[in-house]
Amino acid sequence: MTEQTSQIFRTSQLEAADGPGLNPTETPTMGEIIAARFSRRGFLKGSMAATAISATVSPAAMLAARGAAAQTGGSAFDFAEVAAGVDADHHVAEGYDAQVLLRWGDPVFADAPAFDPLNQSEAAQERQFGYNNDFVGFVPIEGSSTHGMLVVNHEYTNEHLMFPGIVTVTQAADPGVAPDEETAEAGEETATEAELAPAEPAEPEVVVAPADAARAGVEMAAHGGTVIEIRREDGRWTPVLDGARNRRITAKTPMEVTGPAAGHARMQTAADPTGREVLGTINNCAGGVTPWGTYVMAEENFHGYFMGTLPEGHAETANYERYGVPGGSYEWGRFHDRFDLAKEPNEPNRFGWVVEVDVNDPASTPRKRTALGRFKHEGAESIVAPDGRVVFYLGDDERFDYVYKFVTEGTFDPENRDANMDLLDAGTLYVARFDADGNVAWLPLVHGEGPLTAENGFDSQADVLIETRRAADFMGATPMDRPEDIEPNGANGRVYVMLTNNTDRAQANAANPRIDNAFGHIVEIAEDGGDFAATTGTWEILVQCGDPSVAEVGATFSTETSADGWFGMPDNCAVDSDGRLWVSTDGNSPAATGRTDGLWAMDTEGAARGTSKLFYRVPIGAEMCGPCPTPDLATFFVAVQHPGDGGEDWEEFGRPSYYEDLSTRWPDFDEAMPVRPSVVAITRQGGGRIGG
Ligand code: FEO
Ligand code: CA
Ligand code: CA
């Protein structure tokens, strides 16, 4: 590789590649693109200006709105909202404690070295808590809500925040110097007034130095997941560092490929001619805990880890284009052949799966369960259907991609854990078509059925699964506005789909009704007969997000929702054991919404339906992941991901944030420590249920 520099790496680059998504079936015409660009410019300029005003200039109006919200009738939640805003710290609702439980670099084992940010090593990171915590799950030990296994995904790494001495920032041009000043002073020509006008200040350019093998090793060890025993005593949670089941999973951990695509020729590489043994898991975003107590990790933006060029005319060319491979966000391919397409052209087919981990056995080999399809898996939350089959809801996080569910062939045996351990290897993967009449159809992706035949390039179920997106295209699935987390609610038989945004949408459809959907929305599905395994159901939009006070935005929160209570960009969510919906966000910012990301409580029932309240908010630059309630609802674990990643649009900072000049040093606020992604345990002062 000759490229010697890489630009600063942001979650938005990885999660929402520039351009109109990768789904060719939704490609707009050039006329539509031009029309959309003009309308988008006008719309965004207007809406952002109005948003900024409403969030910063009218405290009286905000207070009035808060007062109104306090009288919300029928709400499932009773807490005093946090004020929306932006600063360097996190904030939780009054009467609650937010305890930082695990920070990047904290020990996962009793023998782990102390975190030393100036002397990081792969060996140390393999024994420490990884970077960018996303999914958080709790597996109770003997049914306890105060003792269990915490499972946490480490989605990706932010090199500019992690490593000292690797960022160069070019200085902005002096706005007082005109471009032709020298010429004018020399008297060679008379400069016009326009030529002497101040130059536009250049945006500071942030450049990250290329990785060496040692840094790449730390990055790979900071990915993956953590399994760690935790316990609550005297009100405080602590990691049990000598827990026998503690484990780090990384981008190098040996994994087994199982299910219909295992061993297929398209899964074979020079290093693994069996097509069944893969090293590592990457970009594990959300995930799930199965009814039998295993941890499932969803591989999301795997395309970003590949570099190089496929051999000319290679059979996987179209497949990789549909997934954006190679993304070129990391340089691991310079040190590991498997991430270089020229050397291992089949390797990308071995990522983009759901990985299952047995948390009871730290020596167990994680399994890539191919039956659940290959795409940019956001998460994998599950529920047991009335007949005992288990249903997993799956989002493919890309503009214009799809919502899926997987229904196991076998049934869950609550009395025999071992009997459930291979349930994920056989079943039916479905993709959703949301019809304008309010019906949803789940379309089976089964080889030989409908268009999924050899004539269309699918010679087996392995082909259908390796190219899940193309199979779903043929089935006529509904292109969505970036499907993120999806949660079933056993209390009311419904399913909540987070659709985070899609500013490239030029053509609306019924389930994605906003052109240039900057703030996202939530779709609610009611499966027929309350049966999560049903192949038909109905749907409606629970809420269109954004600032309800700006008519152009088209937000549909209830009128009881306060100026603090609305949000944009829903991402993760949880349904707690009382059937209440909690939504966490990724993308709120000073410029976009005048607030940081956070955790919002969202009413779904009765008169309060569509009312949202802010419970917790993150520091500048972070996104909010989790939440994960304990069964007794006395603790919510949340994950603060990539804090300090940004600050240009925050008036108190106003410049790029990187290791030596951070917009926040949360949670330590120690000049010797960088900002650290962390899992936080939220509890109620004096004990009791979270959220009232
Ligand atoms: Fe990693 Fe779709 O969020
Ligand atoms: Ca996410
Ligand atoms: Ca996200």
Side-chain angles (χ1 to χ4, degrees):
M1 174 161 169
T2 54
E3 209 170 79
Q4 288 302 302
T5 58
S6 57
Q7 292 298 308
I8 196 164
F9 177 62
R10 287 279 163 72
T11 180
S12 56
Q13 287 175 263
L14 196 58
E15 296 196 348
D18 289 337
L22 294 168
N23 186 343
T25 60
E26 182 70 8
T27 305
T29 66
M30 187 51 70
E32 288 164 344
I33 291 169
I34 291 167
R37 284 181 67 84
F38 280 112
S39 68
R40 179 163 63 247
R41 279 181 188 157
F43 166 72
L44 281 179
K45 200 174 166 190
S47 65
M48 285 191 180
T51 298
I53 289 165
S54 68
T56 59
V57 172
S58 182
M62 290 169 76
L63 284 172
R66 271 178 230 160
Q71 296 156 23
T72 299
S75 175
F77 304 98
D78 179 17
F79 62 87
E81 273 191 279
V82 174
V86 181
D87 65 26
D89 211 346
H90 65 164
H91 301 271
V92 68
E94 196 179 327
Y96 292 84
D97 289 322
Q99 176 207 341
V100 176
L101 175 63
L102 282 161
R103 302 162 296 184
W104 165 51
D106 277 345
V108 173
F109 306 92
D111 66 355
F115 180 55
D116 180 354
L118 301 181
N119 293 289
Q120 298 179 50
S121 72
E122 180 174 358
Q125 181 65 82
E126 283 174 342
R127 309 294 285 169
Q128 298 165 337
F129 196 63
Y131 205 76
N132 272 348
N133 30 225
D134 196 301
F135 173 75
V136 184
F138 180 78
V139 184
I141 293 176
E142 295 175 353
S144 174
S145 279
T146 56
H147 185 205
M149 301 302 296
L150 197 74
V151 296
V152 182
N153 282 353
H154 302 295
E155 186 178 19
Y156 69 103
T157 46
N158 293 101
E159 284 63 32
H160 61 295
L161 305 177
M162 289 175 73
F163 299 104
I166 66 167
V167 166
T168 306
V169 183
T170 59
Q171 294 304 308
D174 181 347
V177 179
D180 289 331
E181 196 168 79
E182 277 188 26
T183 306
E185 280 176 356
E188 291 171 5
E189 289 177 22
T190 304
T192 65
E193 203 169 313
E195 284 168 338
L196 283 171
E200 282 283 315
E203 291 287 325
E205 188 181 2
V206 177
V207 178
V208 177
D212 57 19
R215 193 182 98 195
V218 177
E219 294 170 10
M220 294 174 82
H223 276 68
T226 292
V227 177
I228 186 166
E229 186 175 334
I230 58 170
R231 186 190 293 276
R232 188 179 185 194
E233 285 172 320
D234 301 327
R236 279 188 72 79
W237 284 94
T238 47
V240 180
L241 296 184
D242 55 4
R245 288 170 278 187
N246 292 3
R247 177 174 197 180
R248 274 301 323 280
I249 293 162
T250 75
K252 292 184 176 178
T253 302
M255 314 236 150
E256 180 187 358
V257 183
T258 68
H264 191 275
R266 299 174 74 179
M267 301 291 283
Q268 297 169 4
T269 66
D272 171 32
T274 71
R276 294 174 183 274
E277 298 166 8
V278 178
L279 287 182
T281 184
I282 46 178
N283 213 262
N284 305 94
C285 191
V289 170
T290 64
W292 50 97
T294 57
Y295 161 34
V296 282
M297 311 168 72
E299 295 184 334
E300 194 190 29
N301 291 295
F302 63 93
H303 65 296
Y305 298 81
F306 293 93
M307 54 184 280
T309 308
L310 272 183
E312 183 73 24
H314 194 279
E316 299 295 352
T317 302
N319 167 23
Y320 290 176
E321 279 178 9
R322 186 67 179 83
Y323 290 90
V325 173
S329 299
Y330 287 85
E331 301 161 287
W332 301 352
R334 287 167 51 208
F335 316 106
H336 303 277
D337 287 354
R338 67 185 193 274
F339 295 109
D340 184 343
L341 297 186
K343 294 174 180 164
E344 284 283 17
N346 281 352
E347 190 73 20
N349 282 337
R350 293 142 63 85
F351 293 86
W353 305 104
V354 167
V355 179
E356 184 176 17
V357 180
D358 181 359
V359 297
N360 283 359
D361 179 4
S364 61
T365 303
R367 294 180 171 136
K368 297 203 175 191
R369 302 291 193 182
T370 63
L372 280 69
R374 174 173 169 267
F375 44 89
K376 294 180 184 174
H377 278 281
E378 169 73 23
E381 296 286 1
S382 58
I383 194 160
V384 181
D387 67 1
R389 289 181 293 165
V390 188
V391 183
F392 285 75
Y393 287 92
L394 310 163
D396 183 357
D397 184 2
E398 185 102 47
R399 294 166 185 165
F400 308 111
D401 268 294
Y402 305 131
V403 167
Y404 297 83
K405 76 175 176 185
F406 176 79
V407 182
T408 59
E409 187 179 296
T411 55
F412 170 57
D413 183 348
E415 307 300 328
N416 182 0
R417 185 172 185 267
D418 288 348
N420 304 309
M421 293 304 280
D422 288 319
L423 277 178
L424 292 184
D425 280 343
T428 305
L429 181 64
Y430 298 89
V431 67
R433 189 189 69 219
F434 294 89
D435 294 330
D437 62 4
N439 288 308
V440 58
W442 293 101
L443 312 169
L445 301 175
V446 176
H447 178 251
E449 288 189 15
L452 306 183
T453 59
E455 193 174 57
N456 289 319
F458 301 104
D459 287 334
S460 65
Q461 186 63 15
D463 284 334
V464 169
L465 295 168
I466 290 168
E467 294 188 79
T468 301
R469 284 182 170 180
R470 194 168 70 89
D473 296 343
F474 271 106
M475 297 301 292
T478 301
M480 308 297 285
D481 288 347
R482 293 186 57 200
E484 301 258 19
D485 209 359
I486 305 173
E487 286 265 354
N489 183 349
N492 63 12
R494 295 187 217 134
V495 182
Y496 299 96
V497 183
M498 306 296 117
L499 297 153
T500 199
N501 61 36
N502 183 352
T503 52
D504 282 313
R505 180 171 287 284
Q507 291 173 299
N509 61 47
N512 301 273
R514 288 192 288 187
I515 302 297
D516 288 328
N517 181 8
F519 303 104
H521 59 288
I522 299 174
V523 164
E524 180 185 64
I525 297 170
E527 302 278 29
D528 278 351
D531 178 359
F532 293 101
T535 55
T536 53
T538 59
W539 67 269
E540 59 182 281
I541 290 178
L542 173 63
V543 66
Q544 296 180 176
C545 306
D547 186 348
S549 73
V550 181
E552 236 180 336
V553 168
T556 60
F557 290 98
S558 85
T559 54
E560 301 295 323
T561 302
S562 79
D564 299 307
W566 63 266
F567 57 83
M569 305 88 170
D571 186 334
N572 292 35
C573 62
V575 173
D576 71 25
S577 56
D578 200 26
R580 300 179 303 175
L581 179 64
W582 300 80
V583 177
S584 59
T585 59
D586 174 15
N588 292 272
S589 67
T593 56
R595 59 198 59 205
T596 59
D597 283 316
L599 177 62
W600 276 266
M602 183 86 205
D603 276 300
T604 59
E605 306 293 332
R609 181 175 163 90
T611 305
S612 174
K613 291 175 72 175
L614 179 55
F615 180 68
Y616 173 86
R617 76 175 215 231
V618 298
I620 179 72
E623 78 170 270
M624 177 88 279
C625 300
C628 167
T630 51
D632 65 358
L633 300 187
T635 302
F636 271 35
F637 299 105
V638 294
V640 177
Q641 189 182 122
H642 59 78
D645 186 18
E648 294 96 324
D649 63 347
W650 177 31
E651 62 181 14
E652 287 189 32
F653 194 71
R655 56 191 187 275
S657 173
Y658 59 100
Y659 190 98
E660 286 81 8
D661 186 19
L662 288 160
S663 54
T664 176
R665 290 188 185 274
W666 185 87
D668 304 318
F669 295 105
D670 175 347
E671 284 299 310
M673 281 290 165
V675 63
R676 299 166 82 181
S678 302
V679 168
V680 173
I682 299 174
T683 53
R684 192 168 187 155
Q685 290 165 4
R689 213 170 87 132
I690 302 287

